[in-house]
Amino acid sequence: MTKGIDSRELALGILTEVDRQEEYSHVVLRNVLEKYQYLEKQERAFVTRLVQGTLEQRILLDYIIDQFSSVKGNKMKPVIRSILRMSVYQLKFMDGVPDAAVCNEAVKLAQKKGFQSLKGFVNGVLRNIARNLPAVSYPGEEEETAFLSVRYSMPEWIVEQWLALYGRETTEKILRAFLEKRPLSVRVNLEKITPGELKERLEARGITVRETPYLPYALELSGYDYLGAVPEFADGLFQVQDVSSMLAVEAAAPKEGAACMDVCAAPGGKSLHLAEKLHGTGRVKARDLTEYKAELIRENVKRLGAGNIEISVWDARIPREEDLGTADVVLADLPCSGLGVAGRKPDLKYRITRKQQEELSALQREILGVVQSYVKPGGILVYSTCTVNPGENEDNAEWFLREFPFVAVSLNDCLCRELQSGTTEAGYLQLLPGIHACDGFFIAKFRKKS
């Protein structure tokens, strides 16, 4: 272990901050690992797995803890609850860590965090779990919702929603996919390098590179340590971006010289992709709500060297008179419940509620009602979300066509044959984890009537 740094304490700090819902887990984890870049690769991997695994399996972990604790998890002090969760995760899923070490380190953490009086409680619960873990009783398969909720650590209301939409088999495939480890998806910057050349350079550094389905310029990376230390990343030869997000830009299909607008653009992946497709011509107006988000876009624009992007801070709900009827392409990838990316942002599934889904659907309609006015007659609007919820997806697409002078446009000329279907012919695509080789994502394409 790196001298003076306790990996478990770092993980606890991340989990505690996420538990307070002050920031999303992927952001906190990234910031901590950037701060402690000097950690050995093995330690960084341990912290990452412990944090992500504890969050991914939270419902299962709480289910186990509640069977052995006289105090239920929702009544515990947050720090103690996080210590128990991360410790039970190690006991159940990390075979290389001795049970005694897990228990001892948990007690030390409780004491270090000022809970001297509770170290006996922590020790007793964990040692009892360690002795009896193989005998834990879980919900049976006949209790369909409870079984799937505990086994895959997904809130019951979401399981119920998906069972009603997709049935048992597809729902379980989606849930299983969220718990599977996936490589990092990146888009090759074709203005600077070919996919083959980038693959060769990264493999020479010991990074595992795999080609992906659907798009020839998308790659998956694994086996690297700190991404910021990879020269090809620093030089802007690739951008971190899921294939599903790339497909939204494929749907937009801007022609050279086009005026494009990305209305909720941070961190800028789709704006940069649009700019690349313009080959230095035209322009992309990239907007988002805060200066912080605008700065994220600027950082990526600078790194990739794109010169045809204008970045500004603007609330997409507020019309801009000077933009009316000026855009050939508007990309509206709007705020959503995010359930399609729960595999990469596991705390999302615990934060979202049915009410919030309804509120987000209304927000999406509000924004669409504004940004549709920026599209020129004959121009294109692409609506997308990173969620799996008809109320935010298909229902909003149908509403949009009823309310505004647009027609649906087939996606089939923008997609590989593997993704084409009756729905893509009708102008929309719902991607599902476990069914498709990418995040859950929704894409709909509309053309403004002339």
Side-chain angles (χ1 to χ4, degrees), residues 324-390:
L324 296 179
T326 62
D328 296 296
V329 172
V330 168
L331 183 54
D333 185 51
L334 301 187
C336 69
S337 55
L339 292 176
V341 296
R344 292 189 288 110
K345 302 175 182 180
D347 44 319
L348 279 171
K349 59 187 178 182
Y350 310 120
R351 297 189 184 201
I352 196 66
T353 65
R354 289 183 190 272
K355 182 180 179 183
Q356 287 173 327
Q357 279 189 332
E358 294 170 359
E359 292 170 347
L360 285 162
S361 178
L363 173 63
Q364 291 151 4
R365 293 186 180 197
E366 182 181 0
I367 294 174
L368 286 171
V370 172
V371 303
Q372 60 81 25
S373 65
Y374 303 152
V375 184
K376 294 177 181 178
I380 293 296
L381 185 146
V382 171
Y383 170 56
S384 63
T385 74
C386 58
T387 198
V388 181
N389 171 31

Side-chain angles (χ1 to χ4, degrees), residues 67-68 131-138:
Q67 293 188 44
F68 294 91
R131 288 193 300 269
N132 297 287
L133 195 53
V136 172
S137 176
Y138 300 99

